[in-house]
Each structure stands twice: as structure tokens, then as C-alpha cells.
Amino acid sequence: AVGIDLNVSNFCTDSDGLIVEHPRNVKRAEKQLAKQQQKLAHKKKHSLNYRKQKRRVALVHERVELRRNDFLHKVSRYYVNRYDLIVVEDLNINGLIEINGSVMRKLMLDAGWRKFIDFCGYKAEHAGKRRVKVNPNGTSQDCSCCGRMVWKALSERTHSCWFCKTVMPRDYNASLNIKHRGLSMVGWDTA
């Protein structure tokens, strides 16, 4: 079984300690997209050259989407091939996007978390494995060792428990909590 914590600093951190870096497809294509959109702005609307340039802008967007889908398929395939139970957070992505600022919003939308969760679900089902979604509330605040809540600001990237003196990366702690919740949901919990 594996617990996966989806986060903005990198794409995800799993309960085995693997950190998957975010490819940041939109950021890589921003200059090219801005250049093509600027060219489009200088064309006369509804002319033949305008339509051609509009197609070029659409192709840049399409390449970004294809790169994102390729990345998400590869990561979801990695987890389905290696684990019988994949536990992910049941995130309210629309709610997160409304709360956070424009920089965070762009990163969240570029990540494609909902697609990743869906890809893991149908691939796991096809392979005879399980994908479970758990409530994300408190996964990064609770200590994965002693279970007590240790409040920390979003900017704090290290989990440091006052009670059991455990110190580990915040995202790794959250992934362990996600895994424990998933195991208890399906009845595989041994503790």
C-alpha cells in the first residue's frame, strides 16, 4: 500500500519517501505562448492570417495539455504497477483554487491533480487493484508516529512533533497519515 500527498512545492510525495517533481508545463510554455498571443493581437480579426495565428496559439495550448497528460499517465502507471492499494487525498480542488492566490492557483491548475486521481482509479480498477480517497483534513497537522495534532503554518515545510520528538518533512508525514487512513478504511490496518 502507498499513501500519496499531492502538494504544490512538488507534484507528490509518497509514503515510501519518493518525491515526484512537478514538470511545470505551463511555466515552460509561457514565453512561447506570450509570443504567439502577441502576434495574434496584431492581426486583423477574422482575416486568414488571424485564423492561422489563432491555430498556432491553440497548438501551444495543446502541446502543454499533451505533456501534462503524458506525465500524469506515467506517474499513475508507476503507482498502479507497484502497489495493490493506492491511497490519495479527496481534494476539493475548486475550493483550493478559490482560496489561494494567483501564483498558487496557476500551479494547482497546471498540476492536474484531479486527472491524476482519476487515472489512478481507472488503471487500478483495470489491474484488479484499489484506489481509495481519504479525507485530507489534518493530514499534514497530525503526527504520523503518535497521532497527536501539531499545528504548523503552510510555510513550515518540516514536521516537528513536540510530544514524540519526531522530525521529518511535512509532505512525507502527510503521506504516512494518508496511508494509515486508507488502510483503516479498507480494513488492512494492523495497528
Side-chain angles (χ1 to χ4, degrees), residues 9-139:
S9 58
N10 46 55
F11 180 74
C12 70
T13 305
D14 70 26
S15 56
D16 288 343
L18 177 69
I19 298 171
V20 179
E21 291 300 323
H22 196 299
R24 303 201 192 285
N25 295 310
V26 170
K27 189 169 180 82
R28 285 181 16 202
E30 270 181 345
K31 285 182 184 176
Q32 186 182 14
L33 184 60
K35 183 180 173 183
Q36 296 299 330
Q37 286 176 331
Q38 187 176 28
K39 285 181 181 180
L40 179 65
H42 293 296
K43 305 289 182 196
K44 184 179 176 186
K45 282 203 173 185
H46 308 297
S47 68
L48 180 62
N49 286 335
Y50 180 85
R51 282 182 276 168
K52 285 180 183 177
Q53 188 60 36
K54 197 172 178 181
R55 178 70 184 133
R56 288 186 189 115
V57 171
L59 284 172
V60 173
H61 283 290
E62 185 179 3
R63 272 188 238 119
V64 169
E65 182 66 20
L66 289 173
R67 273 193 229 122
R68 180 183 301 117
N69 286 341
D70 180 58
F71 170 75
L72 295 174
H73 277 296
K74 286 176 180 174
V75 174
S76 60
R77 176 54 55 199
Y78 170 84
Y79 284 113
V80 169
N81 286 347
R82 283 167 180 72
Y83 300 99
D84 293 327
L85 177 66
I86 301 163
V87 186
V88 293
E89 298 168 289
D90 188 13
L91 295 172
N92 176 9
I93 294 164
N94 292 335
L96 287 171
I97 290 168
E98 289 174 11
I99 292 170
N100 292 303
S102 63
V103 175
M104 296 279 277
R105 186 177 300 137
K106 189 184 278 190
L107 285 170
M108 288 178 189
L109 290 171
D110 186 26
W113 291 333
R114 177 59 52 208
K115 262 189 185 176
F116 171 71
I117 292 168
D118 292 342
F119 286 175
C120 284
Y122 86 79
K123 287 177 184 178
E125 187 178 317
H126 188 262
K129 300 178 179 186
R130 289 183 74 176
R131 187 241 21 224
V132 175
K133 294 191 266 186
V134 297
N135 185 353
N137 290 344
T139 55

Side-chain angles (χ1 to χ4, degrees), residues 144-161:
S144 59
C145 293
C146 67
R148 293 192 176 148
M149 184 178 170
V150 180
W151 188 90
K152 53 190 125 348
L154 189 60
S155 59
E156 289 181 57
R157 302 314 302 165
T158 304
H159 168 75
S160 182
C161 183

